[in-house]
Amino acid sequence: VLIFDPPPLEYTIDIEVSLTDSSFLEAIKEYFRNLTLPVSTNISNVEMTVSNINITTVCLPSGENNSCCSCENGYAWPSAVCSDLITCPSVSLEPDLPCGYLKEMPFYGPYCAPQTEDSCGMGEPIVMNMSVRLDTDFGNDLSNSSSELYKKYKADLEKAFNASYRCLPGFASATVTGFRPGSVFVNYEVKAGAASFDQIANSNRIVPQFLDASYQLNQATFTTEITNQTNFTVSPVDIFEGDTVRLICEINSTSENVTWYHKDQIISTSFRYLMERNVSRRASRAILKIVNIAMEDSGSYTCNFTNGNQFHTLIYKATKTIEVSQLHITPDLAIDVICNSPEMQTNSPLLSCCIDRHLPSLTGDWKVNGEINITGVSRFTENCTEYKLNVNESLCPPEKSGTVTTYTCELQTGHGARRSQNIRVTYLRTAHVTISSSVHSSVSEGYAFNLTCESDVSNYDTISWKIQSGNNTKTVSCHMCTKNSTFPATSVLTVKNATQDWSGTYICTFSQKYLESSANVTIKVISLPLARNILIDPMDASIQCKVPQALKCCISANTMEDYNVTFVVTNVVAQKEFQVGKKKNRSLFCYMYNYIETECSNKSELEAHCKFINRIGDKVNSHSITLHLISDKEVSCSGNLGIGTEGATLKKPCHEENSTDGFTRGSKIYKCSNKSWKLERNDCLSASINNLLTSAESLVTGPEAKENLPNYLAELKNKTEQELSTINNSPANLGAIVTILAIVSSIPVDAEEPIIKNFLCTVDFIVADSATDAWEDLNKEGTNKSSSLLHSVENFSLHLQPVNNTIPPVSAESLQLQGIAVTANNNTGYNKNFSAENLTVNVLIGETEIQTLDPSSTIVSVMYSKLGHILRSNESKCVNGLLVTTTVSSNRSEKFNINMTFAKKNLSLTMPQCVFWNFTLNNHSGGWDTHGCTPTEKGNDVICSCNHLTSFSILMSPDGKSSQKNFGSYITYIGLVVSILSLVACIIIESLVWKYVTNNTTSYMRHVCILNIATSLLIADIWFIVAVSISDQKQQMSRSVCFVSAFFVHLFYLCAFFWMLSLGLILFYRLVFILHNTSKTTQKAVAFCLGYGCPFVIAVITIAVTLPRDNYTRKVVCWLNWKDSKALLAFVIPVLIIVAMNFFITAVVIIKILRPTIGDRSNRQEKNSLFQIGKSVAILTPLLGLTWGFGIATFIEKSHEAFDILFALFNASQGLFILVFGTLWDKKIQEALLKRNSMSKWSSQQTKSTSLILVTPMLAMSYPFSRTFNNLCGKTGKYRVSSSEPSSSSSENTSKSYSLLN
């Protein structure tokens, strides 16, 4: 049996030995050191062995209830009591002596223990940054570490600091780091273990014990900052925008005061910043919670724990920098899914959303939004969420192909941040396309047909047509041939004129993104000659009855088709058809028939044509042959060409019998003269130009018009240059080139410099000075080819398609082209300058106008230096500047403002007009038009402001009438001055003699009318001068002044005439309504309403109707418009009516005077007044009416200069007429003026004798001119006579008082 004794147990026992006399302390220490161990003993039958006795802790009395305890060498205080150790009040300067710490008595431990790594003060010392103030003056030497003062301060202070802080747990050193002003602040650092606030404060208190008093250390200024004793943690580690973040600071000390900083700014509690604080006996904890953190919350965060009393401030400080990131998702932003693809059915696409790092707490979710609701299954990986779609064809119908469904993935960090991303899935279907034809499988040349292509998918991107013939595939680029629609998805290809180029297999392709779906059909084009390619001979001829006439139709021998050809002849009686045979004539197949007309009873005109029928039964008729039936006796010319009467013409085709070439277009006209045929006109095209014309016709109707146009324009330019002499001498060839340009101008083309150059050079060749004679002959024909040429250039520039958003500037000899492509962010105006032949033109379009255009629009301007002079015009004016065309390719607003500045070519010409070429005038042959354009003459330039686009220039007249115009202007200005002075004199005279001549109602009303006529004419004459000045100086910039002057001239001239009418009506009333007596007030009211009310209504209505349409005034004269709005009628009609009425009244007056009736008034003064009115109406009405009769004549175009002079003379004399015939011719006025000098004295005597009391208006008595105003308004002074006679009426009183004054 093995018996194991357990090892003896070891115990460490703390035994306190108390001494009443501390002098025995060293003796006891020595005793224990010298004690022989181990010592065995038996206590209570337990065998014990004392193996080691050590003195660990020595405590000496310190005060009444405290003792000062210290550890012996090799022993240290346990870490549990480290923060409670307070240095004893008396500290020895000896650094080797142990530090004593206060302990309350009785002291029960814990006692010092063997020194280990965990003992108090045994760890890595921490650095405490401290400072204290010395209440002394700061010397500059303290800033210099080499100075003696600095060294002295440093040494003394470090000695004191080391002595004071050496008892801190784990103390290592105290070092002065510098001084700073503010008295003297001492910065120093203390390296020691973790010390509590009380420990540091206690050490601070004993610093003065070791420092000379002269330093004047202020004990209340100790500050300690500890930066590496705070545990600062941030949760979560990865911070994303939107997270809720917790910042936690912990220290092993108690502190109630915590402050948080963000980038040195104090953080206050708010709904985003939440703060917590926990304090225990030995530790403090602060928490800052940031809710919904944002990117701007990134940066440094600092937590400060602060403890303090009157002697010391302790700060625990920690800083952490956090970085807030966006939760960035990297998905497939857009994918396409073909619903009816077998591959998609078996291998469905996978959507995914991922972030750039792994987050354990990351979660995700998916949402579906769209018309096509195809869902899927989601799953989650480390940093991604995936969504596998369950594609079902039934959920993706054809009409919804191209529909976009949005799949939203949302990722959440688990701390509040979330981020969503949309993935656009486009669901497509392969389309089912069908094609149908309006014809079966074949169509004849020259016939029309169309193909209709349909798709079950309506949401297509593009539709293309191709023609495959053998190994050749052509893309149809004829922009006018195709018409596409969306619902249903259809494309119709229309071929109006089939040629061999249209023969082949048509492939119609619908494209939706990268998906292409096609269908095809084969169309074969069967040969059939076009009518223009059938030669007829003769074209127009005469035939004899019962005499054979050879009729011939020929076509090119290049065809392999065998046609059935017949001649069809139509006469008065019936239509006959004759079968003919074919005969080859060199390069032609000709079909001939000798026709004999048997119906000879009447002379008639026959029409014949040949009819071609191909193998599929389609037919074409040639142009008609016109045959004139003549008798044998009428035949004057005969021969190979044919027969004809004297003076008759014969029209033959352009083909020579023995020529190996084919025929060309055009004709030769022969005239029978002196019994022989003579060539009168040759309109045959040259072979080269004929081929160009044929090629142009084929090109524009062919499938590859756009692709082939550049090569054709190059050929056209070269051939035109080669044939220039032929063109210049042949109006027919010139007209053919114009026709060619008109044909090709409708084809869209890329705006590349060589292409534009070739077109402009071709135009330049045919408008050269050498072609002037040909143009004159060509323009004599029915169609205006020069207008067609201008339209062709406009059309060409309109169809230019920019390359890389640019249109290059291109110049030829007499043409220049410039333009721009309008883009979505275009923020500049359009400003282009052109120059040629020492002339310039500027085209300006404002930024606001350009912003109304659609993006991808173009603005193109073309300048012509010679084309403007060949445009046919019936105007007497001539083009006096460059011609410029501006086109815009997009739909634009009704008004599009453009300004052009033209330099004058001939400075001697006058009266500029801004004109544009209106293609609709003269039965669509074109002509110059001024509508919508306003000229402003500025030196040698004319500024044209127009509200539309097309071709513009300026027209000006020869200056042959300048002397007459100057003479008329002199008459106008001098006469108007005389008229104004006369009217002023009239008004003054009327005011002076007013009370003398208005002694009865009739006389009173007469002078009211005369005064208002004079006033109206005076105001009208003043405004007339303003209007004439504006017109003469052509100050078109003063349009508002022009409108105002025209309005007032119109208003006050009408007022003058209506007051004339009032004057006539008063006369008519006084003569006809003898027994009727109307009050003066009523007569004045009617007169003023008629004199000013009616003109005002007419003038206001006129300007209100015409001004918004900008046709209130004429373009060059500030007077009512006639050409555009007929506003002049608002003046002419009232004037003519008034003149006619006053003539009628004058006739009535004459009859009444010659044949008085019973009951006529016998009052002599009344008759005298009526007689004066009659004279005024009879004389002034014809004069004023005649004046404006001449004025109306001046507004008629091409009126004689005499009318201008007569109008100026009569208009300028109107004031004089009023003064002479309306005022001075009145005997009562003459008498009143003669008596007025003595009237004052006479009136005074009469007042005394008759006790006459005169009561006059205050203004009339005080101010002479106010009396004039009163007279104008018909106001008079009222007089009361001191008499016993009763007053019957106010009018009688007035009459009596005036008779006294007379």
Side-chain angles (χ1 to χ4, degrees), residues 2-15:
L2 293 178
I3 300 174
F4 295 97
D5 293 331
L9 298 175
E10 291 186 358
Y11 297 92
T12 300
I13 302 173
D14 291 329
I15 300 175

Side-chain angles (χ1 to χ4, degrees), residues 447-500:
Y447 275 66
F449 71 96
N450 61 69
L451 303 177
T452 302
C453 192
E454 292 183 293
S455 168
D456 61 345
V457 173
S458 59
N459 192 18
Y460 59 85
D461 295 327
T462 60
I463 303 176
S464 64
W465 287 86
K466 294 182 180 180
I467 304 174
Q468 187 173 0
S469 179
N471 295 326
N472 183 27
T473 301
K474 297 177 286 191
T475 300
V476 177
S477 60
C478 175
H479 73 291
M480 298 295 290
C481 300
T482 56
K483 183 178 181 181
N484 302 330
S485 61
T486 305
F487 299 105
T490 306
S491 178
V492 179
L493 172 63
T494 301
V495 180
K496 296 181 180 179
N497 195 353
T499 61
Q500 291 299 326

Side-chain angles (χ1 to χ4, degrees), residues 1248-1259:
K1248 290 178 181 179
S1249 60
T1250 61
S1251 300
L1252 177 68
I1253 301 174
L1254 179 66
V1255 182
T1256 58
M1258 186 179 295
L1259 287 175

Side-chain angles (χ1 to χ4, degrees), residues 759-793:
F759 187 91
L760 296 184
C761 285
T762 304
V763 177
D764 183 62
F765 291 148
I766 63 175
V767 298
D769 294 336
S770 57
T772 303
D773 293 339
W775 276 110
E776 289 181 0
D777 292 340
L778 192 61
N779 282 334
K780 290 177 182 177
E781 300 178 4
T783 57
N784 192 349
K785 286 292 185 179
S786 56
S787 178
S788 176
L789 178 61
L790 181 62
H791 189 267
S792 300
V793 180

